Amino acid sequence: MNKLLFFTNNENKKKEVENLFKNLKYKILSPSDMSLIFEPNEIGKSFIDNAKIKSSYGFNKFNIPCFADDSGICIEALSWKPNINSKNFLGSFKNKNDCFNYILKKVNKTKKNKAYFITSICLTLNEKHHIIFQGRLNGTISNKAMGQRGFGFDPIFKPFKFSKTLGEMDKEEKNKISHRSIAINKLINFLTN
Ligand code: ITT
């Protein structure tokens, strides 16, 4: 079975991606399987830059093909932020609910409720060979936080044409439509063709 390192420390991302790879002949390893806790600084100016920083780091450390995912949400009422700063933005509040309430208030005040998620995946095959795959999911910010599933901003994000949030969907439902699954399916297509 081919080994592929998925350089992430986010267990939820890992579960979503493992589910997408489940019928394929790839063994997906992660830094925790290799007893690595350290992660590089994500100092890039774009999702692509940051995905490449993480996949190059993983490849250099273990010398096996490595991919990484950099993702985030862009919210109209916040002038399309937090974008690449999504993790720090969420972490700057006392808890998730405070963050969600801040966003919901902004949406209410501005009457702008559009949002989208972006995922950039970088696959590093060797030091000079990096391939990028991307996915985007358009939607709106819901009227209130709903659902306990998923992670991050899932409870306040309603994909277009859906009446529930990503937080109300199970892994399989989210994987049918998500920004991450779009990018990962492009990666799988590349690996299997
Ligand atoms: P890595 O180890 O893979 O870097 P991370 O959690 O630091 O894990 P990112 O920098 O890509 O990952 O993600 C930024 C944040 O964006 C993440 O912590 C979530 O809060 C949010 N996010 C990313 N993907 C999401 C998704 O599918 N649903 C909800 N929120 C998401």
Side-chain angles (χ1 to χ4, degrees):
M1 196 177 269
N2 296 320
K3 281 186 186 167
L4 258 185
L5 176 62
F6 177 28
F7 198 88
T8 183
N9 290 301
N10 181 324
E11 277 303 309
N12 293 294
K13 274 188 188 177
K14 196 183 161 201
K15 284 183 194 139
E16 288 180 13
V17 169
E18 278 172 347
N19 186 265
L20 291 164
F21 269 90
K22 75 174 175 235
N23 296 320
L24 299 169
K25 290 186 179 127
Y26 282 93
K27 183 163 175 53
I28 306 295
L29 301 167
S30 67
S32 58
D33 297 319
M34 331 278 253
S35 305
L36 181 76
I37 322 158
F38 186 76
E39 47 187 305
N41 279 332
E42 296 177 30
I43 51 167
K45 291 192 167 37
S46 66
F47 292 111
I48 293 176
D49 285 351
N50 284 334
K52 193 170 163 192
I53 287 171
K54 291 186 266 192
S55 65
S56 304
Y57 182 87
F59 175 82
N60 287 330
K61 221 55 207 157
F62 300 106
N63 210 26
I64 56 170
C66 174
F67 68 97
D69 157 318
D70 202 59
S71 305
I73 193 168
C74 302
I75 299 171
E76 186 184 21
L78 302 182
S79 309
W80 302 109
K81 290 178 181 145
N83 199 292
I84 59 168
N85 298 314
S86 294
K87 188 178 177 183
N88 290 344
F89 178 76
L90 193 57
S92 68
F93 292 85
K94 208 165 66 205
N95 56 46
K96 257 190 182 185
N97 274 341
D98 281 9
C99 177
F100 293 166
N101 287 335
Y102 174 85
I103 294 169
L104 297 176
K105 265 193 199 152
K106 287 278 184 191
V107 170
N108 224 353
K109 199 170 153 200
T110 59
K111 307 282 176 237
K112 293 178 176 173
N113 72 348
K114 292 199 188 93
Y116 59 88
F117 274 109
I118 292 276
T119 288
S120 295
I121 302 274
C122 181
L123 170 67
T124 297
L125 293 172
N126 65 50
E127 253 166 63
K128 290 188 181 146
H129 196 178
H130 310 274
I131 307 160
I132 303 294
F133 307 90
Q134 293 194 273
R136 172 174 172 152
L137 179 64
N138 292 322
T140 55
I141 299 296
S142 56
N143 297 330
K144 57 178 183 165
M146 283 181 295
Q148 311 283 330
R149 291 165 156 162
F151 67 100
F153 300 86
D154 283 345
I156 56 162
F157 183 87
K158 223 185 242 183
F160 273 147
K161 298 189 189 153
F162 284 80
S163 56
K164 52 185 176 180
T165 66
L166 289 179
E168 295 175 287
M169 296 184 186
D170 63 27
K171 213 180 346 38
E172 281 76 19
E173 284 175 287
K174 183 178 173 187
N175 267 346
K176 276 191 193 139
I177 54 166
S178 83
H179 45 104
R180 178 160 303 101
S181 69
I182 294 168
I184 289 287
N185 282 326
K186 290 178 186 172
L187 165 68
I188 289 174
N189 202 29
F190 172 83
L191 292 168
T192 53
N193 280 310

